[in-house]
Amino acid sequence: MLKGLGGLGDMAKMMKAAQEMQTKMAQLQDDMHNMMVTGESGAGLVKATCTCKGELKSLDIDPSIFNGDDKEVVEDLILAAIKDAQQKASDKAQEEMSKLTEGMGLPKDMKLPF
């Protein structure tokens, strides 16, 4: 004899949880476009700000680094600041994803596509 929905009740519960997860993932994707991180190089002489999706939004370069023929040094500092910002963006995105998966009862280290 079947009582109520039997296993179908659990399936409906799982489907609802999956839909909630999908909604939260979509919201997190949108939020990542607005979350900003700043990377720096040269002890703060060059700062790069990007979204948690890795999109570069701004550069702040201290004018003191433009003295002399230091073009290559300046270029290296700019690249280093951008790479630092992108790494921080990646770390922040993973941190936010971990919060989401833990909140849904999934393993903390579960990797979901962005």
Side-chain angles (χ1 to χ4, degrees), residues 7-110:
L8 293 178
D10 289 339
M11 180 64 94
K13 190 175 179 181
M14 281 181 23
M15 291 299 290
K16 183 177 180 185
Q19 286 175 334
E20 287 176 16
M21 176 81 167
Q22 185 177 14
T23 300
K24 288 181 180 182
M25 288 282 292
Q27 181 61 49
L28 183 57
Q29 290 283 342
D30 288 343
D31 291 348
M32 292 289 176
H33 289 285
N34 297 317
M35 289 181 190
M36 300 290 176
V37 295
T38 300
E40 59 181 60
S41 66
L45 292 174
V46 178
K47 296 177 184 173
T49 301
C50 68
T51 68
C52 284
K53 294 294 267 182
E55 181 183 350
L56 184 63
K57 290 294 189 176
S58 70
L59 280 174
D60 180 26
I61 303 170
D62 188 298
S64 68
I65 66 173
F66 292 112
N67 296 333
D69 295 323
D70 296 333
K71 180 182 183 295
E72 289 179 11
V73 172
V74 172
E75 289 170 345
D76 289 345
L77 288 173
I78 291 170
L79 286 175
I82 292 170
K83 287 179 183 178
D84 186 43
Q86 288 173 330
Q87 183 60 53
K88 287 179 179 177
S90 177
D91 293 346
K92 179 71 173 173
Q94 189 57 45
E95 176 187 327
E96 293 297 319
M97 180 55 71
S98 291
K99 287 180 193 176
L100 178 65
T101 56
E102 280 184 80
M104 296 298 291
L106 297 171
K108 180 179 181 178
D109 58 349
M110 183 172 181

